């Protein structure tokens, strides 16, 4: 579910549920965080689809009548099962995304992953966040993600 919050009136903001259009059947949509590019009316959303679509960054075109038109999903082997968090979109083909853990966490269900994270947290006392820079080739749709230059150690939980 996606909502539009109109804050034009500071005394009485309005909230409208947006209709999601053309989202792929059989894929879950479990949004974590989002980033809106107003120039193109594009909304990028991290989604934890787990076994029904995998971890992905979903891109919607927001229409004037507040429908979220599905355009595409960015995927990468570096997107772990349930680990995408915060987004910072530079333009329609380049973005940063944080990961709450790397591909060392594997599991077939959300519960499996969260149990592994919990055990790691209790064993080490921390969960590290990682930062990826991702680019998308608009002609092929291929996504190339790399650990952000200069960020060699994780920082703690940039989440949502």
């Amino acid at each position: 579910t996606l909502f539009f919050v109109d804050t034009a009136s500071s005394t009485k903001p309005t909230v409208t549920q947006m209709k999601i259009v053309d989202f792929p059947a059989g894929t879950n949509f479990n949004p974590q965080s989002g980033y809106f590019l107003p120039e193109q009316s594009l909304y990028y959303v991290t989604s934890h689809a787990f076994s029904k679509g995998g971890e992905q960054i979903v891109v919607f075109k927001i229409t004037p009548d507040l429908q979220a038109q599905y355009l595409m999903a960015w995927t990468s082997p570096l997107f772990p099962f349930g680990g995408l968090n915060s987004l910072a979109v530079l333009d329609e083909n380049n973005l940063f995304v944080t990961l709450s853990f790397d591909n060392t966490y594997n599991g077939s269900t959300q519960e499996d992953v969260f149990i592994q994270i919990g055990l790691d947290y209790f064993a080490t006392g921390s969960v590290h966040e990682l930062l990826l820079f991702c680019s998308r080739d608009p002609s092929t749709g291929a996504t190339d993600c790399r650990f952000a230059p200069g960020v060699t150690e994780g920082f703690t939980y940039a989440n949502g």
Side-chain angles (χ1 to χ4, degrees), residues 22-103:
D22 295 333
F23 197 81
T27 300
N28 282 352
F29 181 59
N30 299 310
Q32 167 72 26
S33 67
Y35 194 99
F36 184 64
L37 274 182
E39 301 83 15
Q40 294 92 2
S41 295
L42 298 177
Y43 191 43
Y44 292 69
V45 182
T46 58
S47 177
H48 307 307
F50 293 99
S51 61
K52 293 190 177 179
E55 199 74 357
Q56 52 189 305
I57 299 169
V58 180
V59 183
F60 296 98
K61 174 80 169 180
I62 305 302
T63 64
D65 61 348
L66 297 181
Q67 290 191 14
Q69 173 74 44
Y70 174 86
L71 295 180
M72 70 186 105
W74 293 37
T75 60
S76 169
L78 292 178
F79 294 173
F81 207 55
L84 293 179
N85 281 317
S86 297
L87 281 170
V89 180
L90 304 176
D91 59 42
E92 60 189 297
N93 294 306
N94 297 283
L95 57 82
F96 287 97
V97 62
T98 61
L99 307 173
S100 60
F101 47 87
D102 60 23
N103 285 321

Side-chain angles (χ1 to χ4, degrees), residues 4-10 13-14:
F4 174 78
V5 180
D6 185 351
T7 59
S9 169
S10 61
T14 59

Side-chain angles (χ1 to χ4, degrees), residues 72 92-93 135-143:
M72 70 186 105
E92 60 189 297
N93 294 306
S135 293
R136 183 178 174 280
D137 182 332
S139 61
T140 65
T143 302

Side-chain angles (χ1 to χ4, degrees), residues 48-55 79-83 101-117:
H48 307 307
F50 293 99
S51 61
K52 293 190 177 179
E55 199 74 357
F79 294 173
F81 207 55
F101 47 87
D102 60 23
N103 285 321
T104 59
Y105 296 102
N106 295 307
S108 59
T109 67
Q110 180 176 3
E111 291 79 17
D112 290 343
V113 172
F114 289 145
I115 288 169
Q116 291 176 44
I117 294 169

